[in-house]
Amino acid sequence: MKSVILKSAAQLIATIVLVFAVFLLWRGHHAPGGGFIAALVAGTGFALLLLAEGPERLRQGIRVSPQHLIGTGIGLAVGAGFLALLQSRPFLTGLWWPSDKAILGTPLLFDAGVFLTVLGGILTVLLALEEN
């Protein structure tokens, strides 16, 4: 589509949607939200950009293959579980750093892995549908 209005609006709206997705990812280990819903929200932002700009422009913008996002996400999610095993705790037990403030931890790493996996799957499907 060659609409100047759609391209301008899509960039602004997609930016807002992606910032909201990061917010959902960050608050997901303390409240409802997390990696899955954040990836769905981010996927809608990328779908809007795909409709406005086309698949070539979207591939240039994400700079990484969606299949690599899937692999990285699975690795991150599984790695978050193995960190607990290194401290002789059950798989996927939540660990926090620093322990007195509980800002970062394995639940956030797991959520980030879920986010990357789901977003990679969404982008793979969107780009395959748009290019064929």
Side-chain angles (χ1 to χ4, degrees), residues 67-113:
Q67 290 81 13
H68 287 119
L69 289 177
I70 295 170
T72 303
I74 291 172
L76 201 59
V78 171
F82 279 118
L83 287 174
L85 290 176
L86 293 175
Q87 293 193 355
S88 300
R89 295 189 179 179
F91 186 72
L92 285 177
T93 299
L95 303 173
W96 300 95
W97 306 284
S99 59
D100 59 338
K101 296 186 182 168
I103 295 173
L104 297 175
T106 56
L108 183 60
L109 289 177
F110 180 79
D111 280 342

